[in-house]
Structure formats: structure tokens, C-alpha cells
Amino acid sequence: MGVLKIEKSCESIKYLKENCGYLSDEFQEVESHSKKLINQQCQIIEFITPKDINDISWCVDNNIDCICISNVQSSKNLKAVKNIIGKNKNSISLIARIQSKEAVENIEEIIKESDGIQIARGYLTIHMPVEKLFVQQREMIKKCHEYMKPVLISCNILNSMVSSLLPSMSEIGEISNLVNEYVDGIILSSETSCSTNPVEAIKTLEKVCIEAENIRILDSIYKLNSSQQLRSAKTTIQSCIIECAIQTAFNINAKFIFAFTTRGYTALKISKMRPYCPILAITSDKRVARILTCVCGIQSLLIESLIGTEFIMKQIINIQKNEGKLFPGDFVVITYGDIEDKANQTNNIKVIIVE
């Protein structure tokens, strides 16, 4: 972690050392304002500085949902942050920023210890050959899917729009590829921080993502992935229910999939299959609800208890009707368990026609 003072100009960006435990004394200057990189000679001396401790404590005191941890090298770094958070460690989600060769080498343990990762491609280009970056990116995305963790991509998304109103064709193609690889989010950096057209960059990204998702749905790509991904792991009753829910929602053109979930697994698994309709994750765990908001296609609904599933279903449908999200005649697919408010018990699928 650590804090950098950034002195910005159109020609160059200077990185100055300020109470930072991981920069060498040598002054760094980066000519490209879009990369904002620290070169390979920077040495990591101290992962957490006193200021970091104060910042983390402030996050705890102010009920912050999520903290993105920079310069994560291994799971030990995340454990160190959790130790600072203390007894509230289960109430704050930790997103690990992957920006070094060491982090890539330890990616599996980092994914296990974190609540999700952010792949900072701009930083990674100075730690590995460019031609290997996208191979590593794909492997990291697959690992996140395997462990049911959100994965975010940042840096070098729409760089041409820093000074132009239009993106390049290669950038459009890359965004489309990210959508088809099922990433959960795409983060803009220089496109909004030092661009002449920040709003247009956001609108462009949104349009391209929507079109890419529509094409994927029309081609029924989800059918190929649902069977492969669900069966790559051990087949369980829960995985079979999830596959049936996705197939049923597609066949009847459902408006929603309601997923009753204790730890978030059911909603995460459904999301990884990218059904065309939104997923409403219903949970009584505040931390699970917060984590799921980072996952593509999921809306979280926090309730006091999951006991009384039938009554809760009716109440939620009425709420969705009042908000104009459901109308008479709409179909809703619901997954839940006979044993209520207990993890790994999803064994039922139900279809409701809204009255």
C-alpha cells in the first residue's frame, strides 16, 4: 500500500516519495500519463505504513463496504490487513490488486484469502513480457471463476479516448473479449482521470459491454459454458438445481432468478453462467450481500432471516411489482432449500407466474 503524491501534467507524471514504505529513494519519472507506473527497480520494504493503518481504521469506524489493497504480493499481505481490521474482518470485503510478478505467481492463495481481485494490467506490463500478459490474465480470470470470486479488470481499456472521442477497433474487440470471458467489472483509469472526454468514455464502455452481452445471449453461449463449468467441479444436487434454473429461465423468458443464499455460493454460481435475466440474491448475511454487489448481474437483497421462504417469496414479488420491475404474467424462477437459513442446502427450483 502506501501513499504517493502525483504531480500531473499532460507530458509527464512525476512520482514523489511521501511517507511511503515501498519506494526506493531514487526519483521516478514516467513519461506516459496513461500508464502511471513505478518501474521494476522499486523495492518493497514495508507493506503497511502507519498511514495505512489509520486509513484502514477509519474504514472500519465508518462502515466501509470494501477496501482495495494495492501491491498485494501474497496471502500474508491480506492477512496483515485483516489483523488490523480485527474482529470486524468479516464485515469488510477485501479486493486484492494484482500488479506485480509476485502476485501473479501467488495468485491462487491470494484469490482464496481475498473477496475478489483487480487485475491492474498497466502495472503488470513492466513485470512481464507484454505477449504473456493476456495469457496470465485469462488464467487469473479462470481461477476466480473456479473459486467463485469477483474479478475486475483495469488499465489500458480505452486509452485512445484520453484525447479522442472515438475508441479504436482493437479496444472495442478487447472489451468484447472481456465480456465473453465473464469478468465482473471493467475499471477505467486515465480515460476518466486525465481525459478530455471522461463521460463519453464511460458511455462508450457501457454501450460496447451491452452489445457484447446481447450477442452472447443471442448465440446462446451460456449453454456451452453452463455444462462445462458446472461439471468441471464435483456434481452436486446444488449444481444440478442451478443448471436447471438457468435452463428454465431461458426457456420461459423469465424476468428474474431469485436465489436464496446463505453464503452467496448459489448466486455466484448462477452469475458465472451469465443468464440473460437479472439475479436477485436474497440473504440474511450483510457481508454476503455486500460482496455480491461486486458480481456481474446480481442485485442483493438483505433480509432479517431466510426462515419462511414461501412468505418471503410473495413479499419480494409484491415489492418488485410496486417498483415496476415485475408485471402480471411475468415468470420468476426461484432456487431455495428445504432446510432454511443453512448453507449448501439448495435443492429446490420453483417457477412463479406473477399475478
Side-chain angles (χ1 to χ4, degrees):
M1 296 175 73
V3 180
L4 289 173
K5 179 188 292 182
I6 299 177
E7 188 176 295
K8 184 174 69 175
S9 69
C10 293
E11 300 298 326
S12 66
I13 293 179
K14 295 181 179 180
Y15 285 80
L16 305 178
K17 180 180 178 183
E18 179 189 333
N19 299 323
C20 184
Y22 60 83
L23 280 180
S24 61
D25 291 332
E26 185 179 356
F27 180 78
Q28 306 290 334
E29 179 170 337
V30 182
E31 291 298 327
S32 172
H33 69 276
S34 63
K35 285 190 175 181
K36 300 180 181 178
L37 304 177
I38 303 168
N39 71 27
Q40 290 169 307
Q41 296 178 353
C42 294
Q43 297 178 350
I44 297 178
I45 300 171
E46 181 184 356
F47 176 69
I48 298 178
T49 68
K51 186 179 186 307
D52 294 330
I53 296 174
N54 291 333
D55 290 341
I56 294 170
S57 299
W58 183 91
C59 290
V60 173
D61 294 339
N62 289 273
N63 298 316
I64 298 300
D65 293 336
C66 179
I67 301 176
C68 186
I69 311 298
S70 298
N71 294 316
V72 173
Q73 305 289 311
S74 68
S75 60
K76 292 180 180 179
N77 299 144
L78 293 166
K79 289 176 181 177
V81 175
K82 288 182 179 180
N83 287 336
I84 296 171
I85 295 173
K87 63 181 180 180
N88 296 305
K89 63 184 178 182
N90 290 328
S91 63
I92 298 179
S93 301
L94 298 183
I95 302 297
R97 198 161 191 245
I98 308 302
Q99 57 188 82
S100 67
K101 183 180 179 181
E102 291 77 12
V104 174
E105 292 172 349
N106 298 319
I107 190 62
E108 188 162 7
E109 66 178 65
I110 290 173
I111 292 173
K112 287 180 180 179
E113 191 66 33
S114 69
D115 295 300
I117 67 168
Q118 175 192 343
I119 302 174
R121 304 189 303 183
Y123 287 86
L124 288 174
T125 56
I126 58 173
H127 292 286
M128 64 177 63
V130 177
E131 67 273 12
K132 293 185 180 295
L133 173 60
F134 294 99
V135 176
Q136 294 294 337
Q137 174 182 286
R138 177 167 291 188
E139 291 303 312
M140 288 188 280
I141 291 172
K142 286 182 179 179
K143 278 293 178 186
C144 284
H145 293 335
E146 180 182 339
Y147 287 100
M148 297 289 109
K149 299 291 179 72
V151 53
L152 312 173
I153 306 294
S154 65
C155 302
N156 301 328
I157 305 297
L158 288 170
N159 276 3
S160 62
M161 293 195 72
V162 171
S163 56
S164 172
L165 283 172
L166 295 174
S168 67
M169 288 303 298
S170 60
E171 289 169 341
I172 293 174
E174 168 61 9
I175 294 169
S176 177
N177 288 337
L178 291 175
V179 171
N180 285 319
E181 287 181 27
Y182 295 175
V183 300
D184 293 284
I186 300 175
I187 301 174
L188 298 178
S189 49
S190 58
E191 299 91 337
T192 52
S193 63
C194 54
S195 169
T196 55
N197 310 294
V199 176
E200 194 60 35
I202 295 171
K203 289 180 178 179
T204 299
L205 177 60
E206 180 186 23
K207 291 175 184 177
V208 175
C209 286
I210 290 173
E211 286 300 318
E213 289 181 344
N214 287 339
I215 292 172
R216 187 180 61 207
I217 291 166
L218 291 173
D219 290 343
S220 299
I221 293 176
Y222 89 96
K223 289 182 178 179
L224 300 175
N225 287 283
S226 62
S227 297
Q228 291 172 1
Q229 290 190 34
L230 283 167
R231 294 188 180 117
S232 63
K234 183 180 178 181
T235 301
T236 63
I237 294 174
Q238 190 175 21
S239 64
C240 292
I241 291 294
I242 290 169
E243 186 172 8
C244 288
I246 296 168
Q247 185 69 57
T248 302
F250 181 81
N251 290 342
I252 65 176
N253 193 26
K255 287 296 179 68
F256 267 103
I257 296 177
F258 289 177
F260 284 79
T261 182
T262 304
R263 296 180 180 174
Y265 178 85
T266 301
L268 282 167
K269 196 70 174 176
I270 294 173
S271 171
K272 293 307 177 186
M273 303 305 105
R274 293 298 192 269
Y276 74 96
C277 62
I279 305 157
L280 184 65
I282 304 158
T283 182
S284 58
D285 189 312
K286 184 182 293 186
R287 182 171 182 270
V288 170
R290 287 173 168 175
I291 293 172
L292 292 177
T293 58
C294 298
V295 182
C296 181
I298 295 181
Q299 303 168 23
S300 295
L301 179 62
L302 183 65
I303 60 178
E304 290 185 5
S305 173
L306 294 178
I307 296 175
T309 306
E310 292 291 336
F311 176 75
I312 295 171
M313 288 180 193
K314 294 177 182 178
Q315 292 292 100
I316 294 174
I317 287 175
N318 287 333
I319 292 172
Q320 298 297 314
K321 284 174 63 179
N322 292 336
E323 293 180 354
K325 296 178 180 178
L326 284 175
F327 298 93
D330 287 343
F331 291 100
V332 178
V333 176
I334 304 171
T335 62
Y336 61 100
D338 284 331
I339 302 176
E340 300 173 329
D341 211 9
K342 189 175 181 181
N344 300 319
Q345 297 298 321
T346 300
N347 61 357
N348 277 298
I349 177 174
K350 185 173 186 176
V351 177
I352 291 180
I353 303 176
V354 179
E355 297 178 352

